[in-house]
Amino acid sequence: MERLILKRLQEWKDSPYRKPLILKGVRQVGKTWVLKEFGRRCYDNTAYFNFDEHEEYKQFFETTKDVKRILQNLMMVSGQKIFPEKTLIIFDEVQDCPKVINSMKYFCENAPEYHIACAGSLLGIALAKPSSFPVGKVNFMQIDPMTFTEFLLANGDENLAAYLESVDTLEPLPDAFFNPLYEKLKMYYVTGGMPESVLMWTEARDTNAMQEALSNIIGAYERDFAKHPDVKEFPKISMIWKSIPSQLARENKKFLYKAVKEGARAREYEDALQWLTDARLVHKIYRSSAPGLPIAAYDDLSAFKIYLVDVGLLRRLAMLSPTAFGEGNRLFTEFKGALTENYVLQTLITQFEVTPRYWSQSNPPYEVDFLIQRDNDIFPIEVKSEANVTSRSMRKFKELFDDRVKLRIRFSLNNLNLDDDVLNIPLFMADQTNRLIGTALEMM
């Protein structure tokens, strides 16, 4: 598989300001594989230490803060060789090892010649704790599920991926590219971007194995819920998680606690929801009252939507059969286009530094699916899961905030085009959003 994060890891290696790296990402998103592959491609050798498999390694960090001594002990016990600048040192499953995380401060200050990358699932939870943490002494990187572009590369469609990267005019794509991309996107809705699921499909074309891979990943996440320090939160986390498909199936996708459990109140469940957010298993998108800067200043903290980390996991959690793949547009429109919204959000989160928001008002009701910040501009985004693209809400948003809206963006099954100030992006080009917005602004 080709993961685009490998390019960013290469930039980290070459940076004169490089610090020890903490790679964050949900369980089974490919952290270990990508670090080992990076070591194989870019270093003379890799020294790999797994603190879940070898708990005894933790002792070396508890008895001393002398990093040379720590490395010497690790080399002696494991038989692995470590050379400055030449070896990638991987510390894996560090989420329950605060001393290992804390030692990054001393590696940064006293031994910058050693290249160290740490990984672990639920690191977002570990790093949210106010324990001793090497502030300013580490670089962070986030690995998310495979994008549609990465799916194309894994599926042997390098020509389609290269074509998408090459599009530099806002004109309709020829059918020879549009039609196969549309079909491949349906496949991606079924597999999602978890590497094991993608592998089962792209290598073996085995739908049952792919379904089982997704079920196993969901099962692993649900077992992780029990790792919350307060055991009373475990059933609450589980109930929120299982409610997500029904939350997204409603016309108004605003998260409702009462949809988790009859009579549920925010104060009872907000810690459980925060755990899921810190674990990055869900994305929490706040309602924004206006397209202003900074975007967080306009957050309505009482209104938000919850999306899943991956569209394939959402499809599996919703028990939607892969057979929908063969039924025209059904995958795009199923349960009020929730898969499509989840997919678009996934791609936006990987491209823009600021988490997207959404905008709505009542009496009369209007809603714009997402607001994104690009540089110092805010852009409204509408997600249409069909070819019917008429939108009262986008018109209303333009009416209310005309002086602040340079460009409106719509994702749909229609072809690429720029019509006045509305940029229509085919759903399969969502990975190119940032670049296409730049092209549109240049043309206007």
Side-chain angles (χ1 to χ4, degrees), residues 181-198:
L181 283 163
Y182 165 77
E183 291 300 323
K184 304 288 180 190
L185 182 62
K186 286 201 280 187
M187 276 188 212
Y188 180 74
Y189 273 41
V190 170
T191 66
M194 300 307 284
E196 189 185 356
S197 168
V198 171

Side-chain angles (χ1 to χ4, degrees), residues 170-171 380 382 394 407-412 415-426 432-441 443-444:
L170 303 179
E171 296 169 359
E382 180 115 81
M394 283 285 254
L407 181 71
R408 292 176 288 168
I409 298 145
R410 180 176 61 223
F411 291 99
S412 74
N415 215 323
L416 179 66
N417 81 301
L418 179 63
D419 181 9
D420 192 22
D421 70 333
V422 177
L423 173 63
N424 188 86
I425 301 177
Q432 314 294 325
T433 301
N434 188 29
R435 192 168 61 77
L436 292 174
I437 291 173
T439 304
L441 293 175
M443 291 175 62
M444 291 173 70

Side-chain angles (χ1 to χ4, degrees), residues 94-110:
V94 300
Q95 63 274 8
D96 297 321
C97 312
K99 296 278 191 193
V100 177
I101 295 172
N102 182 246
S103 74
M104 294 305 110
K105 174 178 190 283
Y106 304 103
F107 277 104
C108 177
E109 291 175 349
N110 304 329

Side-chain angles (χ1 to χ4, degrees), residues 137-399:
K137 304 297 181 182
V138 292
N139 296 132
F140 286 104
M141 211 174 283
Q142 177 73 39
I143 180 169
D144 289 305
M146 295 172 73
T147 63
F148 179 56
T149 302
E150 289 174 320
F151 172 81
L152 289 175
L153 294 171
N155 199 46
D157 295 306
E158 294 91 346
N159 59 325
L160 293 177
Y163 175 74
L164 289 176
E165 291 287 340
S166 74
V167 173
D168 57 2
T169 57
L170 303 179
E171 296 169 359
L173 277 55
D175 287 352
F177 290 107
F178 188 99
N179 294 336
L181 283 163
Y182 165 77
E183 291 300 323
K184 304 288 180 190
L185 182 62
K186 286 201 280 187
M187 276 188 212
Y188 180 74
Y189 273 41
V190 170
T191 66
M194 300 307 284
E196 189 185 356
S197 168
V198 171
L199 190 69
M200 294 303 160
W201 174 255
T202 56
E203 283 206 348
R205 291 291 189 262
D206 188 333
T207 306
N208 291 333
M210 181 264 298
Q211 286 282 83
E212 189 178 346
L214 289 171
S215 296
N216 290 341
I217 292 168
I218 289 170
Y221 292 166
E222 290 174 350
R223 287 190 294 278
D224 279 343
F225 299 162
K227 294 181 179 174
H228 193 288
D230 183 349
V231 76
K232 295 197 300 291
E233 295 297 312
F234 168 57
K236 295 177 187 174
I237 296 170
S238 192
M239 287 163 77
I240 291 173
W241 173 259
K242 287 186 164 71
S243 81
I244 291 172
S246 63
Q247 300 268 6
L248 291 174
R250 298 194 325 276
E251 195 67 55
N252 174 3
K253 294 178 173 62
K254 177 187 163 187
F255 184 85
L256 297 175
Y257 285 101
K258 68 181 181 186
V260 176
K261 184 184 176 186
E262 194 61 46
R265 296 193 177 141
R267 69 171 181 271
E268 298 171 63
Y269 282 82
E270 59 192 2
D271 282 353
L273 181 54
Q274 190 59 47
W275 190 94
L276 283 167
T277 308
D278 287 342
R280 211 174 164 92
L281 290 171
V282 302
H283 298 300
K284 190 177 187 181
I285 308 299
Y286 285 109
R287 190 186 87 85
S288 180
S289 56
L293 291 173
I295 198 167
Y298 297 86
D299 285 352
D300 172 2
L301 299 181
S302 68
F304 53 88
K305 301 184 203 173
I306 294 292
Y307 293 93
L308 224 54
V309 65
D310 175 66
V311 66
L313 291 173
L314 176 60
R315 180 197 62 77
R316 190 74 187 107
L317 198 62
M319 304 303 282
L320 180 62
S321 167
T323 54
F325 166 69
E327 300 173 29
N329 292 349
R330 186 181 165 196
L331 269 176
F332 300 107
T333 58
E334 191 65 58
F335 66 106
K336 301 288 190 292
L339 289 176
T340 300
E341 273 191 42
N342 207 103
Y343 157 72
V344 168
L345 177 69
Q346 257 179 270
T347 69
L348 297 177
I349 275 176
T350 62
Q351 293 176 73
F352 299 98
E353 192 177 358
V354 180
T355 303
R357 271 54 172 185
Y358 76 99
W359 173 84
S360 70
Q361 72 164 48
S362 47
N363 295 328
Y366 293 102
E367 182 170 311
V368 169
D369 296 314
F370 299 115
L371 299 180
I372 55 167
Q373 181 180 334
R374 182 184 186 270
D375 299 329
N376 287 328
D377 294 314
I378 308 285
F379 298 98
I381 289 183
E382 180 115 81
V383 178
K384 292 289 189 183
S385 45
E386 299 176 82
N388 174 16
V389 292
T390 54
S391 171
R392 293 167 51 250
S393 295
M394 283 285 254
R395 281 201 301 274
K396 185 66 177 177
F397 190 85
K398 172 80 170 171
E399 229 175 81

